[in-house]
Amino acid sequence: MQTLTITQPDDMHLHLRDGDALRAVLPFTARQMGRAVIMPNLKPPVVSVADALAYKQRIIAVLPEGSTFEPLMTLYLTDKATPELVREAKAAGIVAFKLYPAGATTNSDSGVTDLFKLLPVLHEIAAQDMRFLVHGEVTDSDIDIFDREAAFIERVMKPVLAQVPNLKVVFEHITTAEAARLVLEAGDNVAATVTPQHLLLNRNDLLVGGVHPHHYCLPVLKRESHRQALLEAVSGAQAHKFFLGTDSAPHPQHAKENACGCAGMFSAATAIELYAEAFEQIGALDKLEAFASKNGARFYGLPENTDTITLVKQAQTVPNSFPIGSGGNLVPMRAGGCVAWTMQA
Ligand code: NCD
Ligand code: ZN
C-alpha cells in the first residue's frame, strides 16, 4: 500500500471558536497539526492582548492529554488599534494581526472601515516583524460577490504594499487566479494560505443540482479556471509562497441549513488527507510536505516541527456529522463520502 511520511504539518488559518465548539473541534486539529494560527473572530472578537492570552489558556485547558499542539495567537484588527498595541502584542508572543474588512464575513462587524487610516499601525506591525493576515475581499455594494477578492487587490492590497513595502502579509484563503498572481509577482514578504475546499471544489459544487449550504464559505467558491490556477500556484516554481491554512470554520448544522445559512466549512477532521487528494490529483504529492509543513513555518520564522505523520492510500468514510455538545451537530466537508487517504494513528 502507498504511504507518505512527512514532517508534521501546521494549520496557518484555523477557527476554533470557544466553549463547547472549541472542546469538540480542537482534538481533530491537535491530532494532525503541530501548531495552528488561531483566528480571532470570536463573539466578541479577540482585540486585546489580555483577550488573546485568556483565549490561549482556554484552548490549552481543553487539549487532549499529552498533546504538544501549540496555538499561535492573533489579534483582530479594529479601527481603534494603535502602534502601542502592536508592541504590547509582540511582547506577549502574539504572532499576527488579522484584517477583516467590516462586514466581509462571519463575525466581522467590528472589522476595519478604512485601512488607510491605520498606516502607522501597519508600519509598526512591519517594524515588530509580526505578520499581517488579510481577509482579502472588499465589501463595497457595487462589487459582485465573485469579484470581491480581485477588487480587493486593486483597491487595497496593492496600495497598502506600496505604502508599507516591507510588511509581511499573508493573503488568507486565496480563491482566484488574480490573487495567486499578486502573490507570485510580489516580493517574498507576501505569501498566501490555500484551503482544501478551494483546491478541491468549484462553484458548481455550491450551486448545481440545488444549493449546497455546507459548501458555502467566504471567499465564496469560484469557477474551475480559478481552482486550476490555485493548483498551479501550490505546485509550481514559486510554490514556497503558498502554504496550508484550512480555514476550518465550524458552524452548527442548523446555522448552515438555514434560510440565511452562515459561511464556513468544517474540514479539520480530515484536513491533511483532503490536501493529499488535491496534490495527488495533479501528480504533485512530492510537493505536499513543503506546502503543509515547511513553507508556513518559514514564513512565520518558526522552526519546522520535529515529529512526522504518515498518510496511507486507504479510503476512509467521513461521518455524516459530529456532535458539538448541547444537542448540536457539525457537518464536515465531504460528509458521508470517502476521502482517498487516511492519516495513521
Ligand atoms: C469564517 C468563519 O466562519 O469564521 N467563515 C468562512 O466562510 N471562511 C470566517 C472567514 O475566515 O472568512
Ligand atoms: Zn477564516
Side-chain angles (χ1 to χ4, degrees):
M1 200 174 305
Q2 193 184 352
T3 66
L4 185 64
T5 296
I6 60 171
T7 302
Q8 187 176 32
D10 297 309
D11 186 347
M12 295 311 197
H13 184 127
L14 178 67
H15 299 269
L16 285 176
R17 315 303 191 202
D18 216 338
D20 284 347
L22 166 63
R23 202 168 295 116
V25 301
L26 179 61
F28 294 112
T29 295
R31 178 174 172 267
Q32 298 202 336
M33 307 288 169
R35 297 165 290 210
V37 176
I38 310 302
M39 291 300 125
N41 63 331
L42 301 182
K43 280 190 239 174
V46 178
V47 295
S48 72
V49 170
D51 292 343
L53 296 180
Y55 185 31
K56 184 176 187 177
Q57 287 317 311
R58 295 198 297 281
I59 295 168
I60 289 170
V62 297
L63 267 177
E65 185 90 19
S67 174
T68 56
F69 173 80
E70 186 188 353
L72 303 170
M73 305 311 291
T74 64
L75 288 188
Y76 185 116
L77 188 66
T78 71
D79 291 341
K80 294 191 183 124
T82 60
E84 192 187 0
L85 173 65
V86 176
R87 289 189 288 273
E88 256 181 68
K90 174 73 180 187
I94 290 159
V95 298
F97 278 80
K98 174 74 188 282
L99 167 69
Y100 290 100
T105 187
T106 306
N107 302 344
S108 61
D109 304 346
S110 324
V112 171
T113 55
D114 183 359
L115 185 62
F116 296 94
K117 292 200 175 127
L118 289 173
L119 285 175
V121 172
L122 300 187
H123 280 291
E124 194 61 30
I125 291 173
Q128 295 297 327
D129 196 29
M130 295 180 77
R131 304 298 174 267
F132 183 53
L133 318 182
V134 172
H135 183 110
E137 291 194 288
V138 298
T139 55
D140 312 51
S141 57
D142 62 316
I143 301 289
D144 186 275
I145 188 163
F146 289 99
D147 299 332
R148 283 176 160 201
E149 187 173 276
F152 182 90
I153 293 170
E154 300 305 323
R155 292 187 183 187
V156 183
M157 195 69 129
K158 286 182 178 173
V160 164
L161 285 169
Q163 297 269 350
V164 195
N166 57 342
L167 190 60
K168 289 190 178 149
V169 179
V170 183
F171 199 159
E172 297 288 347
H173 42 51
I174 62 167
T175 64
T176 58
E178 288 87 345
R181 191 177 325 120
L182 180 281
V183 174
L184 290 168
E185 288 173 357
D188 272 343
N189 59 313
V190 180
T193 52
V194 190
T195 74
Q197 63 266 28
H198 293 105
L199 291 175
L200 288 165
L201 304 174
N202 65 35
R203 64 197 200 180
N204 283 6
D205 297 297
L206 177 65
L207 294 169
V208 171
V211 177
H212 301 270
H214 297 290
H215 289 167
Y216 177 56
C217 63
L218 288 171
V220 72
L221 294 170
K222 303 299 192 297
R223 63 168 67 239
E224 176 64 10
S225 56
H226 292 293
R227 186 179 82 91
Q228 292 297 331
L230 299 180
L231 287 166
E232 166 61 28
V234 300
S235 60
Q238 295 221 71
H240 69 279
K241 300 182 127 199
F242 300 89
F243 47 83
L244 188 159
T246 61
D247 195 20
S248 180
H251 291 276
Q253 183 167 8
H254 66 80
K256 296 285 298 171
E257 297 173 10
N258 188 291
C260 186
C262 42
M265 291 177 63
F266 174 61
S267 59
T270 56
I272 191 62
E273 295 96 327
L274 288 163
Y275 282 110
E277 258 192 35
F279 278 73
E280 188 178 33
Q281 261 184 22
I282 52 165
L285 268 179
D286 59 324
K287 307 274 171 61
L288 178 66
E289 183 180 37
F291 175 82
S293 318
K294 293 173 184 263
N295 300 343
R298 190 187 326 102
F299 192 79
Y300 275 82
L302 299 168
E304 288 172 16
N305 293 314
T306 49
D307 287 350
T308 59
I309 63 161
T310 296
L311 296 165
V312 185
K313 182 75 188 288
Q314 186 175 56
Q316 59 171 310
T317 303
V318 180
N320 288 318
S321 69
F322 296 101
I324 34 169
S326 48
N329 276 318
L330 276 180
V331 177
M333 183 171 171
R334 199 62 72 77
C338 275
V339 180
W341 291 80
T342 301
M343 189 186 121
Q344 269 178 354

